[in-house]
Amino acid sequence: PGQPLEVFDEVSAIQIALVDRDGVGQLTDAWDKAGVYLLLDAVSDDGTWGVYVGKAAAGLKNRVKQHVVGKSSWNRAVLVRRDTMHGFNSAHVGWLEGHIHQLLTASALAKPSNKMVPSDDSLADYDLHSLQMCATGVMRTLRLLGYEPAAAGDIEDAAQHIRGKKQMSSTKLIQLVGAGLLIPGEELTSLNG
């Protein structure tokens, strides 16, 4: 009780620390590295749960410690760092923070509380696959903890989305009218250049 639990995901080469709010001070100095973190509220009776997604360019442990005082609603934290010689750089953690936030925003159960939507589009294309694998490892960890992020298919679909590229929708105009979202005669404007 109170001790951080560390998990290694060898598929994505990440180390994950699961720690209750009262145990943050017991994280080792190994967590003074770049990474992302999630501050989790308790799961409500209806299955929904609040979450804050953040990043630390260097001191992950110290950043989460700041939130013990600064944010009051969370009771558990998930910290993620790369378990390789070189670790994450600032573009990695920026993109990963934004991608995890995007995945959780797409969920019907997770309720992200970030005031600004995080993102970093400076990531090189060759880094995308490994970082998407990291995000998948985080989603699996949340599920094991009882925080259902979304259906597995929803996570996989969202993981295929690459930031900065326009997504095509498979929704047909007749479906929008049938759902009452558009009324006959309403003017539409194309966003295609």
Side-chain angles (χ1 to χ4, degrees), residues 4 14 21 85 96 98 111 123 143 149-150 154 156 158 164 172 177 184 189 192:
I14 56 174
R21 182 185 188 97
M85 181 186 303
L96 194 54
K111 305 296 179 198
L123 186 70
R143 190 169 281 119
D154 295 339
E156 290 165 15
K172 294 180 176 37
V177 173
T189 304
N192 294 332

Side-chain angles (χ1 to χ4, degrees), residues 9-90:
D9 182 337
E10 73 182 41
V11 173
S12 55
I14 56 174
Q15 190 82 20
I16 300 172
L18 314 170
V19 60
D20 290 333
R21 182 185 188 97
D22 296 338
V24 170
Q26 296 181 43
L27 287 164
T28 67
D29 290 343
W31 292 96
D32 282 333
K33 296 199 180 335
V36 296
Y37 59 91
L38 290 84
L39 305 178
L40 304 168
D41 298 348
V43 177
S44 300
D45 292 339
D46 64 358
T48 61
W49 45 280
V51 58
Y52 177 85
V53 183
K55 68 179 178 188
L60 193 55
K61 171 184 164 182
N62 288 330
R63 186 70 183 117
V64 174
K65 275 184 175 180
Q66 291 172 345
H67 288 304
V68 171
V69 175
K71 295 191 182 303
S72 61
S73 66
W74 66 279
N75 62 349
R76 179 179 283 165
V78 174
L79 290 75
V80 182
R81 66 182 173 89
R82 183 163 269 167
D83 192 45
T84 59
M85 181 186 303
H86 298 292
F88 289 128
N89 63 36
S90 62

